[in-house]
Amino acid sequence: MDKRIALVTGASRGIGRAVATALAASGCHVLINYRCRQPDAEATLALVQRAGGSGELCPFDVADGTACEQSVAGLLQTHQRIDVLVNNAGIRSDSLLVFMKAEQWQQVLATNLSSFFNVTQPIVKQMALQRQGRIVTIASTAGQTGVEGQTNYAAAKAGVIGASKALAREVAKRGVTVNVLAPGFIETDMTAGLSRKELLAQIPAGRFGKPEDVAAAAVFLCSEAAGYITGAVLNINGGVYT
Ligand code: NAI
């Protein structure tokens, strides 16, 4: 049987890299999206291959609607189908709202929320035609509880939860599932500058999560076995209260 085709956005490092590697190990051909750090994306491809899988690089900016439309069209022309989409690319740009620049608000919303539309819309059309597909989007505890200094990020992450729940209902009869992962504090570049001691005190499990903790859940939600799970939000946060 042909390999399933999986697109992972923001797969040049962190959680996206772990998801790409784990999906490859589970038998997918992985389309490794990134915006600008090609050497990092190549390192992800090497890990995918080391896991016994296959993949290819596909650079585009998930915040740019036209670029997404063109890139997804090109990928569909080449592969005819996309079976799995993991919307992972994200940024944060923290500031108390009173000091926040309009640009910070717009960039975070464009990259973390509008990207959901930009990438998912052309792909879900194809999945509906295929009558089969798995969409997983990475939200955050911040979108569930709100975090001070992150009104922009929390709004975007809460937004993808709502969008996923709505889309899940729209495409359930077509065999397409749409789910959300809500990680807590995961050890990546995104959390590298945060105060570890203070944050650890908030995590019942007593440790930060690893990208692989998120990847394992993504692989499950993208599997055939998870076909009756849709519209769900799965916390991966070591027990942090949401
Ligand atoms: P990271 O900063 O290590 O990696 C982010 C990835 O997104 C990179 O590959 C980057 O190139 C890509 N990216 C950023 N803007 C992009 C754009 N416009 N187009 C294409 N790719 C772009 O971050 P990390 O921690 O791996 O985060 C991955 C996802 O998980 C993000 O959506 C983040 O918000 C979310 N998350 C992370 C948590 C953490 O504790 N690290 C906690 C909760 C959610």
Side-chain angles (χ1 to χ4, degrees), residues 3 7 23 29 40 60 91 115 118 162 179 190 210 214 222 241:
K3 279 187 168 187
L7 171 62
L23 282 174
H29 177 79
D40 288 352
F60 60 88
I91 56 165
S115 60
N118 296 341
N179 292 294
M190 189 177 270
K210 296 185 189 324
V214 184
C222 293
Y241 184 66

Side-chain angles (χ1 to χ4, degrees), residues 135-137 139 144 160-161 164-165 168 177-182 221 228-235:
I135 299 171
V136 170
T137 299
Q144 300 168 298
V160 295
I161 292 174
S164 296
K165 287 181 177 225
T177 67
V178 187
N179 292 294
V180 175
L181 297 177
L221 288 176
Y228 201 58
I229 303 173
T230 196
V233 180
L234 180 58
N235 293 345

